[in-house]
Amino acid sequence: MFADTASFHRWFDRRRRAHAYRVTRVPLDRLDGWSPADGSGDLRHRSGGFFSVRGLDVTCSGRAVDAWQQPIIAQPEHGILGILVKEFDGVPHCLLQAKMEPGNVNLVQLSPTVQATRSNYTRVHGGRPVPYLDHFIAPRRGQILSDALQSEQAAWFLAKRNRNMIVRTDEDVPVLEDFCWLTFDRIAELLHHDDLVNMDTRTVLSGATWLRRPVAAAAGEDSFDAALARSWQPGAPARHTTAELLSWFTEAKAGCTLQRRLVPLAGIEGWSLRDGMISHDRGRHFTVIGVRVEAPNREVSGWSQPLFAPRSQGVVAFLARRVRGVLHLLVQARVETGALDRVEMAPTVQCQPADYAATTLGGLGAAARPPFLDVVEAAAPGSIRFDTVQSEEGGRFHHARSRYLLVEADDGFPDEVPPGYAWMTMRQLMTFVQHGNHLNVEARSLLTLLGFLPEDHAAARRRPVAARV
Amino acid sequence: MFADTASFHRWFDRRRRAHAYRVTRVPLDRLDGWSPADGSGDLRHRSGGFFSVRGLDVTCSGRAVDAWQQPIIAQPEHGILGILVKEFDGVPHCLLQAKMEPGNVNLVQLSPTVQATRSNYTRVHGGRPVPYLDHFIAPRRGQILSDALQSEQAAWFLAKRNRNMIVRTDEDVPVLEDFCWLTFDRIAELLHHDDLVNMDTRTVLSGATWLRRPVAAAAGEDSFDAALARSWQPGAPARHTTAELLSWFTEAKAGCTLQRRLVPLAGIEGWSLRDGMISHDRGRHFTVIGVRVEAPNREVSGWSQPLFAPRSQGVVAFLARRVRGVLHLLVQARVETGALDRVEMAPTVQCQPADYAATTLGGLGAAARPPFLDVVEAAAPGSIRFDTVQSEEGGRFHHARSRYLLVEADDGFPDEVPPGYAWMTMRQLMTFVQHGNHLNVEARSLLTLLGFLPEDHAAARRRPVAARV
């Protein structure tokens, strides 16, 4: 436990320096333990575990680009992302760990108590047991606070889901050397640092927003904070009923025409294996690279694996507006290429803006730019209520970073929005999260970032968006 | 509108006799418009629409029988099952139709306002337009009361879902000759007739249980009816919190090992094409048959199609008990062969008991009998609170009938149940139904049957179960 945030950072820096991690690039065709399977070119581990990289053929997407092929990560098994919670002097604390993932821009970030694929915890790789796992595997002794199967980046994963769990315990819990107890308030502060709280922690915490300190809004008070506080209240007056929102979501699923099928990675159109990497021929999206990892304190001390490396930084943003004093977020029913049920609730804007540069440079062109990206990029500094750069999962993605923003729309913004969009309160989103399979991972991350806004968030950096993306 | 139930039955008999329906058996290999595809033996319609019959290979099911192969209906497109609701003199009425389906034991049953596959309403078959469809297709003018994608019989369908909709209108609605307006009270009565309210109507109505007349239970009153009424109340004290139930459901999904893949129908193990039918070699489960249909008033007046014909009647039963005066149902997290997400909430017992006859006769044997089937079959007449025989969807199944029961467990029944089972209130089930993808179609049917129990349900037939199944 830390007396202040500075002492956390001192501890975290020590943990970061305590291990001699090394990540080096290796050509995909010389990746130890991974070999292209039987002429298909698919990348598989010799154990049959972990994940594989395969080809995906997409048609009838209904997006600006209707059909394409791409590499995709197939990882059908569910892992566990679990956070252990315990009260000390009546204050709940989360057990988080300083964990190295090879794709992290800074290698070490704050992870959940347990972050383990099934291959990890059944020890396909023959490594060390996963600490604290018994708190999350039945029969459990603790109290379940939240437990749902949730999707992950559907642009890069096919039907990948992890079990997101929060378990409260009263037992004595030994604290291993890379682990620490943090209050929700402390985590709220840390969420405002770039690249510190990892994606897995953020998605699990989206199931815990109801545990955060309740903030009361004085009646009639006209600030952003008051509108946000009201938006979390049970029974907050909402623009749409839950029945209407569920119908809007069903409509999007029923109208979705997306077709997808796995194809051999070797032959996919628009991508080439060159210099030991698989890259998009026009320089868009991402590149599949290979790395060799040395990590003395992980379950196994060295391994090799492929990683997906985005070509540019992402933008993940909710537009917000106040409806009768209650903050509402503009949610998108998004066709998610790899999602099990094909459509999920997503932030207003979620893309890599660089992909939409002028066509002559290999970009998709301005005509394909997603709706509302212009509004986000043109946002005045005063309307940006939240703004940090966060990392996506470093176990599969290399330096995958996105700018996460909450932008308050000005009064001129239309109340009526296109059919694939709907205004929702924080409370409504919080309820959908509990059921799993509703919000995508980017929306859950943003919900956590907003759900744990610290007291002094108004001092958050306010920079013109276009300058940073 | 009908002054009493007798006048409804007179109208319904007239409608039943008004059309010269004819269903005749045709060998599968001589079924007009359907031909085994390219050596696979799969049955497909020449239009490419409707559905196909393919082979499914199942392994690691975790059931008493771990692996098998079977024919399965593949119908990836979502249809619409919609009920239009309108108030007359302040009383809501549902627009239902007397509709012929070739597999119905009595040909004509009460269907939703709209019951249309995508092939129907996009008119792949070139037939007549589907009446009232515009109330259910965007842009709609009415008010959505319920709208979710829901699964159908997962033992016979692969990933089949239909959009279940209830839409309220204030407009003038012309009543076509096979249609009628019925109050929820009248429907409640009709649900207690065998084989009258079809499966599609029952599943749609499961989204409307909150519209039924609220019945108040006097505090301390100790009757079954009072316990049932309390079970519907918001905030009814429940054995488990919603978070616990969602965790239990997630646990079952995370533990599910089911693997399935489509294989050519021609080669599936344990089944043979003989005499123009595909039958199980040991006489279990179902048979795939072909029929020719003449129906002058349907979208097309004649067609041919395969149907799945169960070999025996099913039993679909909830065990119930009172917990602190509130009725709780014992729900099963069931591995559902064909369900999109592989596990759904199901009734306590759901099977064809004849399949578990002595092994020497081709049955699976008593050792494979599902848990609690004995309890249901041994139930004393006085503990059977509900008991009718209902038909499954007559558009795909031939004479598929199940006995639907609610059995109140006696005081000796253990409070602790196996891990795959949990006690839930009606209110909790009602909430899960709204989100779709939680309750299977048999559970939704039972929920409707219980949600619309008429005043005089205590007079419902009470016969020993074993005598009828």
PDB file of all heavy atoms in Angstrom, chain B residues 58-70:
ATOM      1  N   VAL B  58     -20.148 -33.603 -33.642  1.00  0.00           N
ATOM      2  CA  VAL B  58     -20.076 -33.036 -32.296  1.00  0.00           C
ATOM      3  C   VAL B  58     -19.066 -33.837 -31.473  1.00  0.00           C
ATOM      4  O   VAL B  58     -19.125 -35.072 -31.457  1.00  0.00           O
ATOM      5  CB  VAL B  58     -21.457 -33.102 -31.602  1.00  0.00           C
ATOM      6  CG1 VAL B  58     -21.376 -32.541 -30.185  1.00  0.00           C
ATOM      7  CG2 VAL B  58     -22.501 -32.364 -32.419  1.00  0.00           C
ATOM      8  N   THR B  59     -18.150 -33.142 -30.795  1.00  0.00           N
ATOM      9  CA  THR B  59     -17.231 -33.817 -29.866  1.00  0.00           C
ATOM     10  C   THR B  59     -17.144 -33.008 -28.581  1.00  0.00           C
ATOM     11  O   THR B  59     -17.529 -31.830 -28.551  1.00  0.00           O
ATOM     12  CB  THR B  59     -15.810 -33.959 -30.465  1.00  0.00           C
ATOM     13  OG1 THR B  59     -15.385 -32.675 -30.941  1.00  0.00           O
ATOM     14  CG2 THR B  59     -15.777 -34.949 -31.616  1.00  0.00           C
ATOM     15  N   CYS B  60     -16.655 -33.659 -27.528  1.00  0.00           N
ATOM     16  CA  CYS B  60     -16.407 -33.001 -26.240  1.00  0.00           C
ATOM     17  C   CYS B  60     -17.639 -32.262 -25.731  1.00  0.00           C
ATOM     18  O   CYS B  60     -17.536 -31.151 -25.208  1.00  0.00           O
ATOM     19  CB  CYS B  60     -15.250 -32.005 -26.342  1.00  0.00           C
ATOM     20  SG  CYS B  60     -13.747 -32.717 -26.997  1.00  0.00           S
ATOM     21  N   SER B  61     -18.799 -32.862 -25.900  1.00  0.00           N
ATOM     22  CA  SER B  61     -20.024 -32.158 -25.511  1.00  0.00           C
ATOM     23  C   SER B  61     -20.136 -32.019 -24.001  1.00  0.00           C
ATOM     24  O   SER B  61     -20.844 -31.156 -23.499  1.00  0.00           O
ATOM     25  CB  SER B  61     -21.247 -32.918 -26.023  1.00  0.00           C
ATOM     26  OG  SER B  61     -21.472 -34.072 -25.227  1.00  0.00           O
ATOM     27  N   GLY B  62     -19.456 -32.916 -23.262  1.00  0.00           N
ATOM     28  CA  GLY B  62     -19.584 -32.879 -21.810  1.00  0.00           C
ATOM     29  C   GLY B  62     -20.904 -33.474 -21.331  1.00  0.00           C
ATOM     30  O   GLY B  62     -21.204 -33.465 -20.140  1.00  0.00           O
ATOM     31  N   ARG B  63     -21.727 -33.996 -22.239  1.00  0.00           N
ATOM     32  CA  ARG B  63     -22.976 -34.649 -21.864  1.00  0.00           C
ATOM     33  C   ARG B  63     -22.729 -36.140 -21.620  1.00  0.00           C
ATOM     34  O   ARG B  63     -21.616 -36.626 -21.792  1.00  0.00           O
ATOM     35  CB  ARG B  63     -23.986 -34.514 -23.001  1.00  0.00           C
ATOM     36  CG  ARG B  63     -24.439 -33.102 -23.247  1.00  0.00           C
ATOM     37  CD  ARG B  63     -25.864 -33.156 -23.760  1.00  0.00           C
ATOM     38  NE  ARG B  63     -26.263 -31.913 -24.374  1.00  0.00           N
ATOM     39  CZ  ARG B  63     -27.190 -31.827 -25.316  1.00  0.00           C
ATOM     40  NH1 ARG B  63     -27.795 -32.917 -25.754  1.00  0.00           N
ATOM     41  NH2 ARG B  63     -27.519 -30.657 -25.821  1.00  0.00           N
ATOM     42  N   ALA B  64     -23.793 -36.863 -21.277  1.00  0.00           N
ATOM     43  CA  ALA B  64     -23.667 -38.308 -21.056  1.00  0.00           C
ATOM     44  C   ALA B  64     -23.108 -38.994 -22.308  1.00  0.00           C
ATOM     45  O   ALA B  64     -22.286 -39.894 -22.228  1.00  0.00           O
ATOM     46  CB  ALA B  64     -25.026 -38.905 -20.682  1.00  0.00           C
ATOM     47  N   VAL B  65     -23.567 -38.569 -23.465  1.00  0.00           N
ATOM     48  CA  VAL B  65     -22.950 -39.012 -24.720  1.00  0.00           C
ATOM     49  C   VAL B  65     -22.039 -37.881 -25.167  1.00  0.00           C
ATOM     50  O   VAL B  65     -22.494 -36.761 -25.379  1.00  0.00           O
ATOM     51  CB  VAL B  65     -24.020 -39.299 -25.798  1.00  0.00           C
ATOM     52  CG1 VAL B  65     -23.358 -39.736 -27.091  1.00  0.00           C
ATOM     53  CG2 VAL B  65     -24.996 -40.355 -25.291  1.00  0.00           C
ATOM     54  N   ASP B  66     -20.738 -38.178 -25.273  1.00  0.00           N
ATOM     55  CA  ASP B  66     -19.762 -37.112 -25.450  1.00  0.00           C
ATOM     56  C   ASP B  66     -19.611 -36.676 -26.906  1.00  0.00           C
ATOM     57  O   ASP B  66     -19.342 -35.515 -27.175  1.00  0.00           O
ATOM     58  CB  ASP B  66     -18.412 -37.572 -24.901  1.00  0.00           C
ATOM     59  CG  ASP B  66     -17.517 -36.391 -24.573  1.00  0.00           C
ATOM     60  OD1 ASP B  66     -18.003 -35.480 -23.857  1.00  0.00           O
ATOM     61  OD2 ASP B  66     -16.364 -36.365 -25.026  1.00  0.00           O
ATOM     62  N   ALA B  67     -19.778 -37.624 -27.837  1.00  0.00           N
ATOM     63  CA  ALA B  67     -19.540 -37.316 -29.250  1.00  0.00           C
ATOM     64  C   ALA B  67     -20.567 -38.024 -30.113  1.00  0.00           C
ATOM     65  O   ALA B  67     -20.979 -39.142 -29.792  1.00  0.00           O
ATOM     66  CB  ALA B  67     -18.132 -37.753 -29.643  1.00  0.00           C
ATOM     67  N   TRP B  68     -20.994 -37.363 -31.176  1.00  0.00           N
ATOM     68  CA  TRP B  68     -21.933 -37.989 -32.106  1.00  0.00           C
ATOM     69  C   TRP B  68     -21.967 -37.198 -33.396  1.00  0.00           C
ATOM     70  O   TRP B  68     -21.380 -36.118 -33.486  1.00  0.00           O
ATOM     71  CB  TRP B  68     -23.337 -38.072 -31.488  1.00  0.00           C
ATOM     72  CG  TRP B  68     -24.027 -36.758 -31.293  1.00  0.00           C
ATOM     73  CD1 TRP B  68     -24.776 -36.067 -32.219  1.00  0.00           C
ATOM     74  CD2 TRP B  68     -24.008 -35.943 -30.109  1.00  0.00           C
ATOM     75  NE1 TRP B  68     -25.226 -34.889 -31.677  1.00  0.00           N
ATOM     76  CE2 TRP B  68     -24.778 -34.784 -30.387  1.00  0.00           C
ATOM     77  CE3 TRP B  68     -23.426 -36.075 -28.851  1.00  0.00           C
ATOM     78  CZ2 TRP B  68     -24.966 -33.759 -29.447  1.00  0.00           C
ATOM     79  CZ3 TRP B  68     -23.615 -35.054 -27.916  1.00  0.00           C
ATOM     80  CH2 TRP B  68     -24.383 -33.926 -28.221  1.00  0.00           C
ATOM     81  N   GLN B  69     -22.665 -37.783 -34.383  1.00  0.00           N
ATOM     82  CA  GLN B  69     -22.953 -37.037 -35.608  1.00  0.00           C
ATOM     83  C   GLN B  69     -24.465 -37.034 -35.805  1.00  0.00           C
ATOM     84  O   GLN B  69     -25.159 -37.917 -35.308  1.00  0.00           O
ATOM     85  CB  GLN B  69     -22.249 -37.674 -36.803  1.00  0.00           C
ATOM     86  CG  GLN B  69     -20.727 -37.597 -36.677  1.00  0.00           C
ATOM     87  CD  GLN B  69     -19.992 -37.962 -37.950  1.00  0.00           C
ATOM     88  OE1 GLN B  69     -20.430 -38.838 -38.685  1.00  0.00           O
ATOM     89  NE2 GLN B  69     -18.877 -37.296 -38.216  1.00  0.00           N
ATOM     90  N   GLN B  70     -24.952 -36.033 -36.503  1.00  0.00           N
ATOM     91  CA  GLN B  70     -26.410 -35.912 -36.701  1.00  0.00           C
ATOM     92  C   GLN B  70     -26.717 -34.995 -37.873  1.00  0.00           C
ATOM     93  O   GLN B  70     -25.895 -34.165 -38.239  1.00  0.00           O
ATOM     94  CB  GLN B  70     -27.054 -35.321 -35.435  1.00  0.00           C
ATOM     95  CG  GLN B  70     -26.635 -33.876 -35.142  1.00  0.00           C
ATOM     96  CD  GLN B  70     -27.518 -33.201 -34.101  1.00  0.00           C
ATOM     97  OE1 GLN B  70     -27.260 -33.253 -32.918  1.00  0.00           O
ATOM     98  NE2 GLN B  70     -28.587 -32.556 -34.578  1.00  0.00           N
TER      99      GLN B  70
END
